[in-house]
Amino acid sequence: MSTLVVDVGGTKLRSEYEGIYEEYLSKDKELIPFLEDKLNRYKSIDTVKVSFAGQVNQGTILSSPNIKIKEKNIKEYFEKKYGIVFKIDNDLNCALLAESKIIPEKNIALLFVGSGVGSAVLENGSIIRGEKNIACEIGHIPFKKAPFLCGCGKDNCIEIFSGGAGLEKWFEYYKIEWMSLDKMKSSKDKTVKQLYENFKEGVLRAAATLTTLFNPKIMVLGGGIVKSNPFILDIIKNELEKYALKESLKELEIVISDIKNASLEGAKLL
Ligand SMILES: [Zn+2]
């Protein structure tokens, strides 16, 4: 019998089954039909493990700002229909599972900047989950008012300014052609400059909030935007002291994740 592992992010859906890795754009591949196709095709799958970029509690998807999904009671649906074991958790919690396997620390904060802005925190060896497994949703703490809504329904989240999906909305709003963060950084255009500054400040606030609230020993940065713009590490290292409590910065180490796909690796550990 075998396990199918899937990581559903805001931009990409990745899967691994018997050593075969597949990658799709999330907008082209919906999770439910993808899983049903695999389960119908490979009868030896007896376990499905999913890392999901949304709020998930006990096998139920509570919300997913950047992903469309029809079946919310996903665990029950697949276990009843296919007689398999189904495990699912938030993608950042999965990533934290993978990181904590290789980082020998008990207090770890993860900050991932990709389509959205997410975090997860290991406090004295345990993942902070809260009442409904939705603690540490750093991307949705208030930052500034925007002229459109975040995927969560509010109009002032950090994620609107510092997440990839949010940046795309800004480009659309100002009718600016999409450009990479690197290009934004050196642009002379006033609007683009402002968007870049907002992006940077949002990331710094997210990093500082995690630092001041949870006093981690190590902060691990990841996500598509960080991985393709490693200069974000220097920004945080150099400017965090303007935003975070000084004492909490003394022992803090800040690194970029070494794991190629921490959420997918972490899902295997569910
Ligand atoms: Zn939000």
Side-chain angles (χ1 to χ4, degrees), residues 3-7 14-17 47-49 264 267-268:
T3 302
L4 168 67
V5 189
V6 186
D7 170 43
R14 303 172 169 101
S15 75
E16 210 180 293
Y17 172 65
T47 308
V48 172
K49 295 178 172 182
L264 187 74
K268 293 176 189 172

Side-chain angles (χ1 to χ4, degrees), residues 140 150 152 157:
H140 302 283
C150 175
C152 78
C157 301

Side-chain angles (χ1 to χ4, degrees), residues 148-244:
F148 43 79
L149 299 180
C150 175
C152 78
K154 294 193 292 121
D155 67 352
N156 58 1
C157 301
I158 285 184
E159 191 165 296
I160 302 178
F161 297 86
S162 302
L167 281 175
E168 271 179 35
K169 285 184 192 171
W170 283 108
F171 290 146
E172 220 169 278
Y173 180 77
Y174 285 120
K175 302 194 167 42
I176 300 169
E177 213 173 303
W178 186 90
M179 66 177 87
S180 69
L181 202 65
D182 214 30
K183 274 219 169 124
M184 287 175 72
K185 193 178 154 197
S186 51
S187 171
K188 299 268 183 287
D189 183 278
K190 231 175 104 188
T191 308
V192 176
K193 264 189 164 164
Q194 187 58 51
L195 289 180
Y196 177 76
E197 285 306 314
N198 288 344
F199 165 84
K200 197 175 105 174
E201 201 189 333
V203 170
L204 280 165
R205 275 175 193 243
T209 303
L210 288 171
T211 306
T212 304
L213 279 184
F214 301 110
N215 183 209
K217 172 70 181 72
I218 183 163
M219 184 183 300
V220 182
L221 308 177
I225 291 189
V226 167
K227 290 254 169 156
S228 46
N229 300 280
F231 64 85
I232 292 171
L233 174 67
D234 297 320
I235 292 176
I236 296 179
K237 276 186 172 171
N238 296 335
E239 299 185 43
L240 195 57
E241 63 181 14
K242 283 193 275 183
Y243 297 80

Side-chain angles (χ1 to χ4, degrees), residues 3-9 12-17 21-24 26 29-32 34-36 38-39 45 47-53 74 86-91 94 261-268 270:
T3 302
L4 168 67
V5 189
V6 186
D7 170 43
V8 192
K12 284 176 181 169
L13 182 148
R14 303 172 169 101
S15 75
E16 210 180 293
Y17 172 65
Y21 175 78
E22 292 175 32
E23 188 178 299
Y24 305 93
S26 303
K29 271 281 183 237
E30 269 190 56
L31 177 63
I32 308 277
F34 174 79
L35 291 177
E36 297 210 298
K38 288 280 187 230
L39 287 165
I45 297 173
T47 308
V48 172
K49 295 178 172 182
V50 178
S51 153
F52 187 80
I74 191 164
F86 192 97
K87 294 182 176 183
I88 183 168
D89 200 355
N90 169 265
D91 59 340
C94 288
N261 186 348
S263 301
L264 187 74
E265 292 309 315
K268 293 176 189 172
L270 289 176

